Amino acid sequence: MSNTPSHPAPAKAPVRAHIALGANLGDPVAALETAFAALGSLPDTRLVARSSVYRTAPVGVAGQPDYFNAVAAIDTELPATVLLDALLELERRQGRTREYHLAPRTLDLDLLLYGDECIDEPDLVVPHPRMHLRAFTLVPLAEIAPDLVIPGRGPIADLLPTVADQAIERLAPAA
């Protein structure tokens, strides 16, 4: 028997992660609301901020309905790859199929940022490699984190002018 007192392992500090939400099939606004609730229900995770909902035209494709987009900030103790798996499962539960690249979708969840980490794995790249090119990501992200610095890209405030020519319409303030 040891005389050394037993101490529980220190709790892992939560990481602030940012998730992009998008949908353009079914009832997209309801899908985003359901997704916000589901994000806050993930294990060891707390929803800390959510942007307004925005309407945007599809990027890179024609003949699809407009998208409804938003961004969520969560504090999570889940490792990035586990979080990604959870996001993919949330998409699947809301009927997401992947018939072809840029297909319309009932729900799309992208892990934009995981703290200030840079991750480059076959199934996960963080920061999201195209987030700095898209108003539908930067505008809602700037709404909830205006002082954010995107690793490898710089302050979000410096990136917003580069997407100012992309049409984006704010539909409702964050709840």
Side-chain angles (χ1 to χ4, degrees):
M1 189 143 128
S2 169
N3 291 339
T4 307
S6 161
H7 296 288
K12 182 180 177 207
V15 173
R16 174 71 45 94
H18 292 88
I19 315 295
L21 299 83
N24 73 339
L25 291 178
D27 184 344
V29 175
L32 297 185
E33 290 301 324
T34 300
F36 278 125
L39 288 172
S41 297
L42 292 174
D44 302 316
T45 299
R46 183 173 64 92
L47 178 67
V48 294
R50 53 179 283 175
S51 74
S52 302
V53 174
Y54 293 82
R55 180 195 306 255
T56 61
V59 173
V61 294
Q64 289 188 17
D66 284 350
Y67 271 87
F68 293 82
N69 302 97
V71 170
I74 59 172
D75 285 344
T76 186
E77 295 176 28
L78 298 175
T81 55
V82 174
L83 177 58
L84 176 64
D85 288 343
L87 297 178
L88 294 173
E89 176 59 20
L90 292 177
E91 288 181 351
R92 190 193 63 71
R93 279 194 272 155
Q94 287 207 42
R96 169 80 188 264
T97 59
R98 296 176 184 271
E99 294 152 15
Y100 56 90
H101 184 63
L102 299 178
R105 53 207 67 169
T106 54
L107 181 63
D108 185 31
L109 299 172
D110 288 330
L111 180 55
L112 300 175
L113 298 165
Y114 187 80
D116 59 3
E117 288 189 34
C118 293
I119 302 168
D120 190 356
E121 297 178 3
D123 294 328
L124 178 61
V125 178
V126 174
H128 189 285
R130 292 172 303 284
M131 67 181 286
H132 66 287
L133 302 173
R134 299 171 168 170
F136 67 80
T137 301
L138 290 180
V139 171
L141 183 59
E143 178 186 332
I144 63 172
D147 299 324
L148 186 70
V149 175
I150 298 171
R153 299 288 174 193
I156 196 165
D158 292 350
L159 298 171
L160 285 170
T162 68
V163 297
D165 61 334
Q166 296 176 27
I168 183 165
E169 174 189 3
R170 182 176 174 200
L171 296 183

